[in-house]
Amino acid sequence: MPRQTYQKKFKPKNIPCPYPGCKKFCTNSGGLTQHMRIHQTFPRRSAPQPPDSPPSPAGRHSPAGGGDAGLDDMEWEPLELPGRIKRHPDLNGRICDRNGNFLSGNSPPPPPEPRAKDDYTPYKDDLDFHLADLLYRKVQMSAGDIDALMQIWAAKHPDSDPPFADHTDLYATIDATDLDHIPWQSFEMCYNLPIPPDDSTPWKRQKYTVYFRDPRLVLRSQLANPDFKAEMDYAPKQVFARDGTREYEDFMSGNWAWNQATQIAKDPKTHGAVFVPFIAGSDKTTVSVATGQNDYYPLYASNGLVHNNVRRAHRNAVTLIGFLAIPKTDREHDKSVEFRTFRRNLFHGSLKYILEPLRKGMTTPEVALFGDGHYRRVIYGLGPYIADYPEQVLLTCVVQGWCPRCTATNKNLDGEGGRRTKAHTQRLFEALEADALNHKSIWDQYGVISDVLPFTWSFPRADIHELISPDLLHQIIKGTFKDHLVTWVGEYLQAIHTKKRAAQIMADIDRRIAAVPPFPGLRRFPEGRNFKQWTGDDSKALMKVYLPAIEGYVPPQMLRAFSAFLDFCYLVRRNVINEATLAAINDALARYHHERVIFEESGVCPNGFSLPRQHSLVHYPYLITQFGAPNGLCSSITESKHIKAVKEPWRRSSRHNALEQMLTINDRLDKLAAARVDFTERGMLDGPAARQLPSAEPHTVSAAGRDDDDEELGATDELQFLGEVKLARKHIRNYPTSPDALGDYLKIPMLPALIRRYLYGLEHTDEIDLDVSTIALEDCPDAPRKVKCFPSAVATFYAPSDQSGLHGAMRERIRAVRSWRGKASRYDCVYVEADAEQPGFRGLLAARVLLFLSFKHRGTSHECAVVTWFSTIGREACEDTGLWMVEPDLDGRGRRIHDLISIDSILRSAHLIPVFGDTFLPRRFKHSDSLDSFKAYYINKYADHHSHEIAF
């Protein structure tokens, strides 16, 4: 008998969703029905209005405002309430024709150049494009594997040619894309002073090559990208809350853009133009230590018009425009003043040369095409520069250890000092002649390096000291928290204990960190924090759990210092910062400065806190008013860009002349992205393949995507709403279906009674303060004969301050399973809405979910959760940690009280951390036992930014 082979039958997803604007395709009608429930529950946003049209009566920030989200047939308007936004009266982005002649505000855009709907040039059709994108960008398949794949394809279908002959044909097709292609250029720089004949210093005779792309063309390409047309400001703006106070969010809502526009508007020829700030960022990165410390110095560019969420998500709003030279020499010369001066001049000279094409457009408007199809006059300006502290002092020509923004002395950075300005530096140069003695005086007394001028010196309206952006990643997360506070705790323990005792305490702190219960998106530390290679994500994760772990081992004042600093950190990382938030930021900073003296008094910091990265915190309130929310200018944006622009291309190279290969790879990736945007804008990527192949933004998760219980969810670009909680798509099939049998199986014997009393409560909603637990069972409806159990539920909510999608949507899975990933059980905690009128955690309850289930009663489906409750300890949060404390609700026999609630009352996941006290944790304690083993818990408002906002 011949051996049988198994091959799964392919089921194409070719049934389109009929909902307007949705591009989901389903396999069958059942899947379509399930998908349509999303649209039945949540509204869609209407399309944004053109910038010249009158404002809409609905509020732009309605998703965060609560109220009526989730009503059928409701539409949200993303535009502002009348009077809420004031736009600059002169540089207001009026539309014009391609010759620069202004048009009326309701004029339609000129028709685009006609192209056939089936013109996928240089690709044959959409499937060829998707295949090229899959092989080159997503899979990053090698040339040999591409050749092998095409050979297999040809053998499988001998009557037709494969999509591409080989890898050369694939690469040539991508290279043939000519949509605003900006070619790479290069120039060489070298030491230009006379070199004595007997001077054999090697770096003086080397030539250094700098690769770059025209920044003016890059900006024009970004402005013309139709992907940004609904996520862009065409004029500086002042945003006001309902009470008339200012709000700061996107870059153009800050005072700097407004003031620049006012300065530009002194020339009447600029009126009606769009002010386009050029936002730069650079940061050295190492692609491999093992193969010889391969360092690269990428330079990135963005524009200030796109909203912060677009810049954080990239979507081609952050573009690689250059690789700066990294001069190196031997140990004999690398510390010499002459070499350091040359290195600074090489850096600033390179930036000045690269940015030269922008100079003319900084004073004379030029006409540019925008993504909405309209032409507008534009005028450029040098905007903020994203950089960490070492690069900030390099940019500002300030001595290491001094502040690049103010003149406070490096001996007392938090002392008196005015703002650094170009005018102040120029007066120093004029007052002190440039001889060697005065050069040293300027260095020592003012922290100014006088033998090099910043690249901004000769550009209009550009003062580098104004353009240094706040850096959340290196100043706050890696700097103040990881390098300072965490290190100081270790030094404190070693100072007051014996070496052995300090090691034991540190080991227990590690065990506490490892014992923290799991939480969606929380990186776990199975071995505590005792590892060598720290990343930004490691520091962010440790911030979320570190404070409760050190309680009992450090003085209360030290806990208060941590609490104040963490509050400051989470407040400045919010997506929208209003005047009340600014006041809270200043209060948190003042509390931190007051409490941190414990480190000085305990001998950990005997010389005080003259630390540039900590000192930078005092500038944050001012910088927020200048540039908007700092999350749009953080160096984490450029660091994450390193992966796609530098590290992955380097790994794909042959390592020989790698930089030139990296330029080619980046070029092809840009062409694939440009082709995708063009085809999408023309409605040519609406077929099933467009939804099933990897998207251009692989980090996002489709709201209608697969529902795998082991899937870690995250940001989603597709839904824009306040929130919902929905059960997993598939129920657990091997559980009993009758309430009595299920209760016995899960050791919840009161389950039938919970269901009956829950149904009684639904029938008596008009009775105020009804306690259904006191109702006799004979007065309650009968329990349903069949229930379904679910392993999890998915919460979707508006959390723009976290790693959310473009519209602020975040998704997380709440689990309630007897065994997770083949190991211990996992029953997550949740926030339950109690009183919407109360602020913060006062209006919430904490519960632990033991079971998700659904059942029908009298033809109505009910989706519920079996929970145990936690009650607050005290009427206020802990004064030392700033965290609310809760304890499990117990009955008279000391057992946890069970309850049944509708999942509609669940807001999202909550993270509870045990109150460890001052005793050691057992060495083999498991994190899966944490929520069952302690008498009290902290509500962890530092689990993520959304938790901090709702539980602050």
Side-chain angles (χ1 to χ4, degrees), residues 9 79 268 273 321 482 535 606 613 622 647 665 698 805 901 912:
K9 185 177 180 181
L79 298 183
I321 67 165
K482 191 265 288 186
T535 67
R613 285 177 291 181
Y622 171 75
K647 296 188 177 183
I665 292 169
I901 63 173
L912 273 62

Side-chain angles (χ1 to χ4, degrees), residues 906-948:
I906 296 175
L907 181 61
R908 58 155 301 184
S909 293
H911 193 219
L912 273 62
I913 297 181
V915 177
F916 294 106
D918 56 1
T919 58
F920 279 16
L921 204 63
R923 291 185 179 275
R924 298 187 179 276
F925 186 85
K926 297 179 180 179
H927 72 276
S928 55
D929 297 330
S930 290
L931 292 173
D932 298 307
S933 306
F934 293 85
K935 295 181 178 180
Y937 298 86
Y938 285 119
I939 299 292
N940 184 16
K941 66 179 178 181
Y942 302 122
D944 53 39
H945 298 94
H946 186 254
S947 294
H948 188 266

Side-chain angles (χ1 to χ4, degrees), residues 488 596 600 604-611:
W488 292 347
R596 71 175 179 179
E600 187 175 13
V604 175
C605 301
N607 299 321
F609 306 97
S610 194
L611 303 166

Side-chain angles (χ1 to χ4, degrees), residues 541-605:
L542 191 63
M543 289 180 74
K544 301 176 180 183
V545 300
Y546 192 71
L547 177 58
I550 62 174
E551 185 185 16
Y553 295 130
V554 299
Q557 186 175 352
M558 206 169 284
L559 294 177
R560 294 195 295 271
F562 267 91
S563 176
F565 167 74
L566 290 173
D567 282 339
F568 173 88
C569 176
Y570 278 72
L571 288 167
V572 298
R573 293 167 72 186
R574 287 190 177 181
N575 196 56
V576 179
I577 298 177
N578 54 31
E579 292 185 18
T581 311
L582 282 173
I585 290 171
N586 283 314
D587 175 69
L589 185 60
R591 287 190 289 117
Y592 171 63
H593 283 163
H594 174 73
E595 304 292 356
R596 71 175 179 179
V597 297
I598 183 65
F599 293 105
E600 187 175 13
E601 294 171 351
S602 63
V604 175
C605 301

Side-chain angles (χ1 to χ4, degrees), residues 782-849:
D782 293 333
R785 292 191 301 174
K786 182 178 180 180
V787 297
K788 292 182 179 179
C789 296
F790 295 81
S792 64
V794 176
T796 313
F797 49 92
Y798 185 73
S801 297
D802 292 293
Q803 293 296 322
S804 58
L806 290 172
H807 311 295
M810 178 81 176
R811 302 174 70 225
E812 67 183 9
R813 189 175 297 281
I814 306 167
R815 292 181 170 85
V817 290
R818 301 178 67 191
S819 176
W820 183 55
R821 293 182 174 175
K823 296 183 180 179
S825 61
R826 175 169 172 178
Y827 300 107
D828 289 340
C829 297
V830 294
Y831 289 113
V832 178
E833 296 178 283
D835 186 354
E837 300 298 324
Q838 293 293 325
F841 186 66
R842 297 179 186 274
L844 300 173
L845 298 172
R848 189 182 186 192
V849 180

Side-chain angles (χ1 to χ4, degrees), residues 754 758 771-773 828-835 841 843-850 865-872 886-891 895-903 905-907 910 912 931 934-935 937 939:
L754 292 175
Y758 171 83
D771 183 3
V772 295
S773 65
D828 289 340
C829 297
V830 294
Y831 289 113
V832 178
E833 296 178 283
D835 186 354
F841 186 66
L844 300 173
L845 298 172
R848 189 182 186 192
V849 180
L850 303 182
V866 176
V867 302
T868 60
W869 292 107
F870 295 86
S871 295
T872 57
V886 296
E887 60 184 357
D889 288 357
L890 306 177
D891 61 18
R895 297 175 302 184
R896 297 195 178 188
I897 299 174
H898 293 74
D899 199 0
L900 184 69
I901 63 173
S902 169
I903 65 168
S905 63
I906 296 175
L907 181 61
L912 273 62
L931 292 173
F934 293 85
K935 295 181 178 180
Y937 298 86
I939 299 292

